[in-house]
Amino acid sequence: MAAISGLQEAQYGQAFRTHDAVAVDYVRLASAVPGVKAMGGGDSPESLRTALAESARHPGLSLVHVPVYYGPDPLGGLGAYGVWNVGNWCEDVQARYHTQNI
């Protein structure tokens, strides 16, 4: 949801109908699938390297959860580029879509 919220905030100045306050335990969720090796990536480069190495040794599907920053500090995120129809309707994007004759 942070990705959608970031696009909305970049384009409209506010997030619309997203709820990033809901905590999802992705490691626990993925662990519920038989055969999946799920682990957290930690909070340091070394802990991430360790988790990646461990996941590479697993013979099946692996998930390494890496939490990402979402918030107003531009140094903490990847930014949002382009123009998107996300959340509330964007007439400018829709007009561009209709000119493509798709």
Side-chain angles (χ1 to χ4, degrees), residues 44-62:
S44 71
E46 186 53 39
S47 61
L48 178 58
R49 282 190 279 275
T50 300
L52 290 172
E54 186 177 337
S55 71
R57 289 189 295 272
H58 181 65
L61 182 64
S62 296

Side-chain angles (χ1 to χ4, degrees), residues 28-50:
R28 190 170 178 192
L29 182 64
S31 294
V33 179
V36 173
K37 173 73 174 179
M39 67 201 86
D43 57 4
S44 71
E46 186 53 39
S47 61
L48 178 58
R49 282 190 279 275
T50 300

Side-chain angles (χ1 to χ4, degrees), residues 32-99:
V33 179
V36 173
K37 173 73 174 179
M39 67 201 86
D43 57 4
S44 71
E46 186 53 39
S47 61
L48 178 58
R49 282 190 279 275
T50 300
L52 290 172
E54 186 177 337
S55 71
R57 289 189 295 272
H58 181 65
L61 182 64
S62 296
L63 175 127
V64 177
H65 177 246
V66 179
V68 296
Y69 169 79
Y70 167 72
D73 186 344
L75 295 177
L78 297 174
Y81 306 95
V83 183
W84 308 87
N85 258 340
V86 290
N88 45 345
W89 200 253
C90 179
E91 292 186 24
D92 179 55
V93 174
Q94 190 65 20
R96 291 182 201 183
Y97 173 78
H98 285 298
T99 64

